[in-house]
């Protein structure tokens, strides 16, 4: 049993403050109270306090030393305390077990990342995302408390496991997995983690530019639209009609030979007049649409622009046109991002390559070359020879470099009776 009053008389003297401080720090760090502690340049009061504690002279010199093992035996023998550790706690009060807490924190942090590790085990493609979490310490910065971090990672994993989606609103996705429709709003911790994973699923590094356009593109790459108004599709030459508001908008735009932007809201509410059993031309970049409007105007055949990863509005429009009997031909950038975009398009509609296969790539290399290829390689599902050839050549060819050829192809097709020609190879996707 510990005699608190006696211990305070023995060890509570001002001259022993240095000794109690050292013993308290040892207990906080989980180290044993053994061995010898020494105070160099001890004052007369400190030397006298040690002598009273030990019951003997402290020796000569300017320093004093205390054997913790002898002190422990002395306290237990005279019945002042069950151990030196108990004696220190009785005199200074509760001492936090920092070593134990640190061990518990390490265990808690490791447990917080278990869902992420399990997800990567199932989907190795997400390994760069998991490595990013580890290398940046982003989770600890967003949620310094392990319990809060555990919830954040668990929510992120549930959302990411649901991606890519065939098309879902951001608020609906958030509410489905967190019961909070705003959990994925810009700047939230959850959005930060999930957007990084979305970029990785799109074959890009987990970090973005911080721009709104980058966030929209990352969401679009995994089939998520922010709302029915922010998801749009750019088109030119769709016939339209008079049966609905949207059909009239398209008809007026075609008559004027001007591009038209439709929202997902419009495509979901009003019927549009499709193109029938005709070819629809699809490009990746808006410059193709702008140039076609400038040079062909009202004579441009039906042309739809993906503007990067196809948004939900793009997919909705193409599915509506396909349901009306249209078929499709597609051209994009000859780079790894362009290959991934084309692969995703093929998951939703079948298409034929429009100057977008190995022969077209070889021809383009002979006339113009863009920048060197970079990023993670992707396999072109429509042409098994294309990706190896691109990797061998090491160059990307952006769509803009082939703009004259693409406009010439469109010019050969009359908007009223476009031929079913669009490129070599079998139909992709569907």
């Amino acid at each position: 049993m510990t005699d608190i009053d006696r211990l305070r008389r023995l060890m509570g003297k001002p001259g022993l403050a240095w000794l109690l401080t050292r013993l308290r720090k040892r207990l906080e760090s989980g180290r044993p109270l053994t061995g010898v502690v020494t105070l160099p340049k001890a004052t007369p009061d400190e030397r006298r306090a040690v002598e009273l504690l030990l019951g003997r002279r402290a020796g000569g010199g300017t320093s004093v030393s205390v054997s913790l093992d002898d002190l422990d035996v002395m306290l237990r023998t005279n019945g002042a305390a069950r151990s030196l550790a108990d004696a220190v706690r009785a005199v200074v009060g509760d001492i936090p077990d920092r070593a134990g807490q640190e061990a518990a924190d390490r265990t808690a942090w490791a447990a917080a990342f278990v869902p992420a590790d399990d997800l990567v085990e199932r989907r190795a493609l997400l390994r760069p995302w998991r490595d990013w979490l580890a290398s940046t310490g982003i989770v600890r910065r967003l949620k310094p408390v392990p319990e809060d971090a555990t919830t954040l990672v668990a929510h992120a994993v549930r959302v990411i496991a649901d991606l890519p989606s065939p098309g879902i609103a951001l608020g609906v996705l958030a509410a489905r997995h967190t019961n909070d429709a705003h959990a994925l709003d810009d700047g939230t911790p959850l959005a930060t983690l999930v957007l990084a994973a979305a970029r990785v699923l799109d074959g890009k590094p987990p970090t973005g530019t911080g721009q709104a356009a980058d966030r929209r593109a990352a969401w679009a790459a995994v089939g998520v639209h922010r709302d029915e108004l922010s998801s749009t599709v750019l088109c030119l030459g769709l016939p339209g009609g008079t049966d609905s508001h949207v059909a009239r908008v398209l008809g007026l735009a075609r008559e004027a030979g001007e591009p038209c932007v439709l929202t997902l809201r419009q495509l979901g509410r009003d019927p549009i007049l499709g193109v029938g059993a005709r070819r629809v031309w699809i490009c990746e970049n808006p410059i193709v649409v702008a140039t076609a409007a400038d040079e062909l105007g009202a004579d441009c055949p039906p042309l739809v622009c993906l503007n990067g990863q196809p948004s939900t509005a793009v997919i909705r429009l193409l599915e509506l046109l396909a349901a009306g009997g249209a078929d499709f031909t597609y051209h994009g950038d000859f780079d790894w991002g362009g290959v991934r975009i084309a692969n995703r398009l093929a998951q939703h509609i079948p298409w034929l390559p429009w100057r977008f296969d190995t022969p077209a790539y070889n021809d383009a290399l002979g006339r113009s070359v863009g920048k060197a290829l970079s990023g993670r390689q992707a396999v072109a599902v429509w042409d098994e020879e294309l990706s190896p050839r691109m990797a061998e050549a090491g160059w990307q060819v952006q769509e803009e470099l082939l703009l004259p050829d693409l406009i010439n192809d469109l010019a050969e097709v009359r908007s009223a009776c476009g031929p079913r020609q669009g490129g070599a190879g079998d139909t992709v996707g569907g």
Side-chain angles (χ1 to χ4, degrees):
M1 186 168 181
T2 301
D3 188 337
I4 297 178
D5 292 336
R6 186 179 177 191
L7 285 172
R8 286 174 178 168
R9 289 194 301 271
L10 280 172
M11 302 180 66
K13 299 179 179 65
L16 294 177
W18 67 274
L19 178 61
L20 289 175
T21 297
R22 294 196 190 183
L23 299 182
R24 176 175 53 80
K25 288 182 178 179
R26 284 202 182 191
L27 291 175
E28 287 178 349
S29 62
R31 291 181 295 161
L33 301 186
T34 58
V36 177
V37 293
T38 300
L39 176 66
K41 298 181 181 180
T43 67
D45 287 342
E46 290 169 334
R47 176 179 296 278
R48 178 59 177 163
V50 170
E51 291 176 342
L52 291 174
L53 173 66
L54 301 178
R56 59 175 174 79
R57 290 183 59 80
T62 60
S63 65
V64 293
S65 299
V66 177
S67 168
L68 301 185
D69 299 285
D70 291 347
L71 182 57
D72 179 76
V73 171
M74 183 193 77
L75 292 172
R76 286 189 285 108
T77 300
N78 64 24
R82 288 173 295 188
S83 67
L84 176 57
D86 282 351
V88 174
R89 291 189 176 93
V91 175
V92 304
D94 290 337
I95 299 175
D97 183 4
R98 293 183 179 177
Q101 184 60 50
E102 289 174 359
D105 284 348
R106 287 193 295 271
T107 300
W109 277 111
F113 287 96
V114 167
D117 293 332
D118 291 343
L119 178 63
V120 172
E121 188 71 23
R122 301 191 302 271
R123 301 176 67 180
L125 183 63
L126 287 166
R127 170 54 61 185
W129 172 73
R130 179 64 181 90
D131 292 341
W132 173 76
L133 295 183
S135 64
T136 62
I138 183 67
V139 174
R140 285 178 179 259
R141 287 190 280 117
L142 293 171
K143 296 291 183 180
V145 179
E147 291 75 11
D148 296 337
T150 298
T151 300
L152 174 62
V153 172
H155 284 166
V157 166
R158 286 202 291 268
V159 174
I160 296 166
D162 207 13
L163 300 176
S165 167
I168 189 172
L170 187 65
V172 174
L173 180 66
R176 174 184 295 176
H177 296 289
T178 71
N179 294 321
D180 179 1
H182 298 286
L184 289 169
D185 287 356
D186 287 347
T188 63
L190 185 60
T192 299
L193 299 192
V194 177
L195 275 170
R199 295 185 187 100
V200 170
L201 290 173
D202 190 29
K204 298 176 181 177
T207 53
T209 64
Q211 302 298 314
D214 172 77
R215 293 191 294 272
R216 285 195 297 271
W219 286 127
V222 290
V224 179
H225 59 272
R226 299 175 65 86
D227 54 67
E228 289 186 327
L229 297 179
S230 63
S231 182
T232 62
V233 53
L234 173 66
C235 55
L236 174 67
L238 296 186
T242 60
D243 293 343
S244 69
H245 161 72
V246 176
R248 289 193 295 272
V249 168
L250 287 173
L252 290 171
R254 178 182 176 277
E255 183 179 349
E258 287 295 326
C260 181
V261 176
L262 299 177
T263 67
L264 180 61
R265 177 185 174 89
Q266 290 172 307
L267 293 170
R269 291 174 176 264
D270 284 343
I272 66 171
L273 184 63
V275 300
R278 294 180 52 210
R279 166 103 348 125
V280 173
W281 303 70
I282 307 174
C283 61
E284 181 180 337
N285 298 286
I287 188 62
V288 180
V289 177
T291 306
D294 289 341
E295 298 192 16
L296 304 179
D299 288 330
C300 183
L303 177 64
V304 175
C305 178
L306 299 188
N307 195 12
Q309 281 286 355
S311 67
T312 304
V314 168
I315 299 302
R316 178 76 57 82
L317 174 61
L318 296 178
E319 289 176 344
L320 289 172
L321 296 176
D327 67 6
F328 306 93
T329 185
Y330 174 68
H331 186 276
D333 292 331
F334 283 107
D335 58 23
W336 301 132
V339 170
R340 291 186 179 88
I341 289 171
N343 287 343
R344 181 160 187 260
L345 180 65
Q347 295 173 0
H348 296 278
I349 60 162
W351 54 268
L352 292 168
W354 170 23
R355 296 184 184 269
F356 202 45
D357 52 18
T358 303
Y361 178 70
N362 288 330
D363 180 66
L365 287 180
R367 294 182 293 144
S368 59
V369 174
K371 297 182 292 186
L373 276 170
S374 61
R376 182 164 50 86
Q377 184 172 338
V379 177
V381 298
W382 69 96
D383 182 346
E384 63 181 13
E385 298 179 359
L386 178 57
S387 294
R389 178 66 184 107
M390 289 172 59
E392 176 189 27
W395 295 101
Q396 59 177 281
V397 179
Q398 297 175 336
E399 196 169 41
E400 291 84 347
L401 298 177
L402 300 179
L403 195 55
D405 293 334
L406 302 179
I407 299 302
N408 287 336
D409 291 342
L410 296 173
E412 293 177 357
V413 183
R414 305 290 11 126
S415 60
C417 54
R420 286 191 176 276
Q421 299 173 2
D426 297 329
T427 299
V428 183

